[in-house]
Amino acid sequence: MKRSRFTESQIVSILKEADAGAKIKDLCRKHGISDATYYNWKAKYGGMSTSDLRRLKETEAELSQYKKMYAELAHENYALKDLIEKKPLRPLDKREAAQHLVAKHELSKTKACAAVQLSRSSWYRQPSQQAVRDQPVIDALNTMLKKYPRWGFWMCYDRMRLDGHAWNHKRVYRVYTAMKLNLPRRKKRRLPQRVQQPMVVEARANAEWSLDFMSDALYHGRRFRTLNVLDEGVREALDIVIDTSIPGARVVRTLDRLIEWRGKPDAIRVDNGPEYISQVFSEWCEKHGIKLNYIQPGKPNQNAYIERFNRTYRHEVLNAYVFESLRQVREITRAWIIEYNEERPHDSLGKIPPAMFRRQVENARNSTLELCH
């Protein structure tokens, strides 16, 4: 693998120049890199600090050790790796793959058949000429489609049954697809059925978090996004991530950092955005044992806590200032989060700040536990 001429620290400094307001094209021309290289760096190192880079290097060192552990493979595994290019699918293909293992890698017939999941009887059985056996079906399909070129499979099959052909529909469809007569239809991507989740949340920390994205622009027109994380049980703002793009991997990295500081939530409430329905995010939640509560599409009121928080954040920060750089947005937002959690009274919490409410809940819970003991 070609080694990059930039170190991780240099890459982070280049990304910080972009956050300060430098244009991407000017930045790429200055450092002699392409736009694709810049966005690959941003997806991998965006929002990282020196400590994050150190942790990334340690992880890469561990991965290199694991790679060395798997460097020595057994003779049968090496043979299977050489077989990957053949992609055995049908019994005929599996038979050819098994013959390849026996001839080139000198495996026994038993091991070769077991490796490609082929029965011993299929090894010794002589393959039949399928094209000759299916020739009547091919001729019938060609005759039908020559006369009715716009008919689909089921229309052709029903007509063939009326004409007296007794072929099974599975056999006809296999020949139909082998002749590449089936035209794929583009289907609209549909979300799974979402069940409405109740808005009842236990009044304690880490009972349920909610996430949502917002969008705004700097003074010179450059767009940026914010990822807002709220603890619904105590209405406390945990973090607001600000960047020009926040992919699913960045969301996972942010939640890992919050869990190290705050602890793991029991559940997370999100909408159906692409970052939340991505495989990276769903697998991360399953790995950590966190329940995912998706709201129904087009029903933002089912995520009312974070929507109310977004309104406050937009009214008091995004609409109140004219930002010149992402650094300025982050600094003002960081100060506002402290003010929101420590000083700003919250009506639903008895007109006290969220941090004070969380401490009261924790003290009451600790007192109850002491009485029980």
Side-chain angles (χ1 to χ4, degrees):
M1 183 176 179
K2 186 177 179 182
R3 185 179 179 88
S4 175
R5 58 191 178 94
F6 294 93
T7 64
E8 287 83 354
S9 302
Q10 291 174 336
I11 293 174
V12 171
S13 64
I14 292 174
L15 295 178
K16 288 184 177 180
E17 290 183 24
D19 293 342
K23 292 185 177 180
I24 304 301
K25 292 185 178 179
D26 297 339
L27 196 62
C28 294
R29 190 182 301 109
K30 175 182 176 183
H31 296 281
I33 59 176
S34 64
D35 293 351
T37 301
Y38 169 79
Y39 287 110
N40 286 336
W41 288 354
K42 188 174 184 61
K44 185 176 180 181
Y45 300 102
M48 279 192 174
S49 61
T50 306
S51 60
D52 295 330
L53 286 175
R54 190 181 305 113
R55 190 182 301 112
L56 180 61
K57 288 183 178 179
E58 293 175 356
T59 304
E60 291 177 349
E62 293 179 1
L63 289 176
S64 63
Q65 293 179 359
Y66 291 135
K67 289 180 180 179
K68 292 179 181 178
M69 293 173 60
Y70 287 95
E72 298 296 333
L73 297 177
H75 182 64
E76 185 176 347
N77 290 336
Y78 173 78
L80 289 175
K81 285 182 64 177
D82 185 71
L83 187 63
I84 290 177
E85 294 293 333
K86 293 189 174 297
K87 298 180 181 178
L89 297 174
R90 299 175 301 173
L92 182 61
D93 296 329
K94 291 183 178 181
R95 189 171 185 271
E96 294 178 357
Q99 290 175 348
H100 173 79
L101 292 178
V102 172
K104 186 173 182 179
H105 299 284
E106 299 181 355
L107 291 180
S108 65
K109 296 178 181 178
T110 303
K111 289 186 177 180
C113 291
V116 297
Q117 298 180 354
L118 179 70
S119 64
R120 294 286 301 280
S121 60
S122 299
W123 168 272
Y124 292 105
R125 184 186 300 118
Q126 292 297 325
S128 61
Q129 296 295 329
Q130 196 174 56
V132 176
R133 187 163 51 90
D134 292 333
Q135 191 61 43
V137 184
I138 296 174
D139 294 339
L141 283 173
N142 285 331
T143 303
M144 189 72 61
L145 292 174
K146 184 177 180 180
K147 187 175 182 180
Y148 308 106
R150 299 302 300 171
W151 280 14
F153 166 73
W154 286 109
M155 190 73 71
C156 293
Y157 176 73
D158 293 339
R159 183 66 256 178
M160 291 165 66
R161 297 287 287 187
L162 293 175
D163 292 342
H165 299 294
W167 300 311
N168 185 281
H169 72 279
K170 291 181 287 186
R171 180 185 179 186
V172 177
Y173 185 74
R174 175 177 55 78
V175 177
Y176 185 84
T177 54
M179 296 172 65
K180 300 187 183 302
L181 299 175
N182 54 324
L183 301 177
R185 297 180 180 179
R186 295 186 62 184
K187 296 182 179 180
K188 181 180 179 182
R189 183 181 181 185
R190 297 186 182 276
L191 295 171
Q193 187 68 28
R194 304 298 191 195
V195 180
Q196 182 175 358
Q197 302 293 334
M199 291 294 296
V200 179
V201 182
E202 186 179 353
R204 63 175 178 86
N206 296 338
E208 185 172 14
W209 293 359
S210 57
L211 281 66
D212 200 13
F213 282 96
M214 297 180 65
S215 178
D216 209 322
L218 301 178
Y219 176 73
H220 50 76
R222 187 179 184 184
R223 305 292 300 180
F224 65 89
R225 303 183 75 193
T226 71
L227 171 63
N228 304 343
V229 185
L230 182 72
D231 191 331
E232 294 186 353
V234 293
R235 310 296 196 277
E236 192 172 6
L238 303 183
D239 196 7
I240 297 179
V241 180
I242 300 168
D243 212 330
T244 53
S245 63
I246 307 176
R250 180 75 179 279
V251 175
V252 168
R253 195 164 69 237
T254 300
L255 293 177
D256 280 331
R257 177 170 51 82
L258 289 177
I259 288 177
E260 291 180 4
W261 159 64
R262 179 84 171 192
K264 185 179 70 173
D266 298 337
I268 294 179
R269 189 191 303 269
V270 293
D271 56 23
N272 296 277
E275 297 84 2
Y276 302 137
I277 63 176
S278 64
Q279 185 177 1
V280 176
F281 184 74
S282 58
E283 288 181 352
W284 179 88
C285 291
E286 183 178 359
K287 176 183 176 182
H288 290 78
I290 299 175
K291 182 182 178 183
L292 261 178
N293 292 331
Y294 288 101
I295 67 173
Q296 294 176 316
K299 300 291 182 65
N301 56 313
Q302 296 180 9
N303 203 4
Y305 295 122
I306 192 71
E307 293 292 341
R308 182 62 181 86
F309 173 81
N310 292 347
R311 175 190 169 187
T312 303
Y313 176 59
R314 182 171 294 279
H315 177 72
E316 297 185 6
V317 178
L318 298 181
N319 290 347
Y321 299 89
V322 178
F323 303 106
E324 297 180 355
S325 65
L326 292 179
R327 179 181 299 178
Q328 186 181 19
V329 184
R330 293 182 181 126
E331 291 175 354
I332 295 177
T333 299
R334 192 178 301 113
W336 180 82
I337 290 176
I338 297 175
E339 175 187 342
Y340 181 89
N341 291 334
E342 301 289 342
E343 301 177 7
R344 189 179 186 277
H346 203 291
D347 293 338
S348 64
L349 303 179
K351 300 187 183 300
I352 62 175
M356 183 182 298
F357 178 77
R358 174 176 52 82
R359 289 191 289 268
Q360 289 182 2
V361 171
E362 291 174 352
N363 293 335
R365 189 172 184 180
N366 293 335
S367 301
T368 304
L369 292 176
E370 291 176 1
L371 291 175
C372 293
H373 289 292

